[in-house]
Amino acid sequence: MALNPPITEWHGRRVWLVGASSGIGRAVASLLHARGAQVCVSARSQGRLDEFVREHPGSQALALDVTDAAAVASAARQLLATGPLDLVCYCAGHYTPQTADALDLDELLRHQRVNVGGALHVLAAVVPALLQAAKAGGTPHVSLVASVAGWRGLPQSLGYGPTKAALINLAENLFLDLRPRGVAVSVINPGFVDTPLTAQNRFAMPALLSPEQAARAIVHGWGRGRFELHFPRRFTAVLKCMRCLPYRWYFFLVHRITGL
């Protein structure tokens, strides 16, 4: 049963993807543009955003740093001044492999500022407008890109995993609050995707997908009205089952799968 209104037609829909200069965010933006959406991409790199606009005529770019609440609010006001948003997707993320025997406090806090704080800045800037759009008969949607790393502890994920767990919990709370008021909410939990972030990993990454494959899975999930989008389905379904195991067996299997 669909928990959200399925999005099967993208032509003319206004979409804001925050964190779309590379990886999953850029691939989703490109796919939605191809399907007729009016796409706005945001990230820190003005150069990469300008490149996206050149390659996708009619799209829009707004450079910002998600850790700067004022910059996020200003970008949201600029977009909302020209009409309501149909979908806001928070794709921005920071990841540096880290273990507790080499703890780096600055890196830990940067994970928090980008992955969680940035999402909160975007939500604060758009949720009131999304609620207004829903009252006016629209079907706005907000989506957060988390990770299977938020389900349970994974190797070298000391900084990253806790922030993704926070996003999953945040999305669940948003759904409880916003869905009865007409605003759809979804959370995206990818497995391993070949991006500049995962390129830092020095362990085996089972079922590795390209960003384009991930984008197709995400858009398919929105089209089915799902709350949680996780992929590749077979691999992430195994991880979901592993969450229910006693810790002794869970830790043993994680070490066997990753080789660490």
Side-chain angles (χ1 to χ4, degrees), residues 142-172:
V142 61
S143 192
L144 304 178
V145 178
S147 169
V148 297
W151 287 348
R152 227 168 173 180
L154 291 174
Q156 300 184 6
S157 194
L158 186 70
Y160 185 76
T163 64
K164 295 303 182 176
L167 287 181
I168 293 169
N169 189 278
L170 175 61
E172 292 169 352

Side-chain angles (χ1 to χ4, degrees), residues 10-36:
W10 289 95
H11 186 78
R13 288 184 181 268
R14 302 187 70 228
V15 177
W16 188 21
L17 295 115
V18 181
S21 61
S22 64
I24 293 174
R26 191 185 193 285
V28 172
S30 182
L31 179 57
L32 294 184
H33 178 270
R35 297 196 179 186

Side-chain angles (χ1 to χ4, degrees), residues 5-247:
I7 308 175
T8 56
E9 175 55 57
W10 289 95
H11 186 78
R13 288 184 181 268
R14 302 187 70 228
V15 177
W16 188 21
L17 295 115
V18 181
S21 61
S22 64
I24 293 174
R26 191 185 193 285
V28 172
S30 182
L31 179 57
L32 294 184
H33 178 270
R35 297 196 179 186
Q38 298 176 20
V39 174
C40 178
V41 291
S42 287
R44 287 183 301 166
S45 173
Q46 184 69 61
R48 289 184 178 179
L49 296 179
D50 291 342
E51 179 184 84
F52 181 89
V53 171
R54 286 194 300 271
E55 295 175 358
H56 301 81
S59 61
Q60 181 181 358
L62 288 174
L64 58 83
D65 181 342
V66 296
T67 66
D68 184 340
V72 173
S74 176
R77 285 194 299 270
Q78 185 174 336
L79 274 175
L80 292 166
T82 58
L85 292 168
D86 297 294
L87 172 71
V88 177
C89 183
Y90 188 76
C91 317
H94 176 69
Y95 168 61
T96 299
Q98 187 174 167
T99 56
D101 58 349
L103 193 148
D104 184 330
L105 179 59
D106 288 341
E107 269 300 311
L108 291 176
L109 293 176
R110 175 145 186 84
H111 282 83
Q112 296 286 338
R113 288 193 297 270
V114 174
N115 298 352
V116 181
L120 295 177
H121 292 159
V122 170
L123 290 169
V126 301
V127 165
L130 298 182
L131 287 168
Q132 288 182 352
K135 284 183 179 180
T139 55
H141 190 130
V142 61
S143 192
L144 304 178
V145 178
S147 169
V148 297
W151 287 348
R152 227 168 173 180
L154 291 174
Q156 300 184 6
S157 194
L158 186 70
Y160 185 76
T163 64
K164 295 303 182 176
L167 287 181
I168 293 169
N169 189 278
L170 175 61
E172 292 169 352
N173 280 282
L174 288 170
F175 185 91
L176 291 171
D177 290 345
L178 297 180
R179 187 67 197 94
R181 293 165 175 79
V183 179
V185 178
S186 59
V187 62
I188 301 165
N189 291 324
F192 292 111
V193 180
D194 187 10
T195 70
L197 296 185
T198 57
Q200 302 173 84
N201 289 334
R202 295 296 179 264
F203 57 83
M205 291 184 285
L208 184 68
L209 297 182
S210 70
E212 291 73 25
Q213 288 175 308
R216 289 193 292 270
I218 291 168
V219 174
H220 175 74
W222 286 331
R224 297 292 297 273
R226 290 175 177 153
F227 165 71
E228 184 191 22
L229 290 60
H230 62 89
F231 52 85
R233 299 289 290 183
R234 183 175 298 177
F235 173 65
T236 54
V238 169
L239 289 182
K240 272 205 159 188
C241 291
M242 287 172 60
R243 287 193 299 172
C244 301
L245 292 174
Y247 280 115

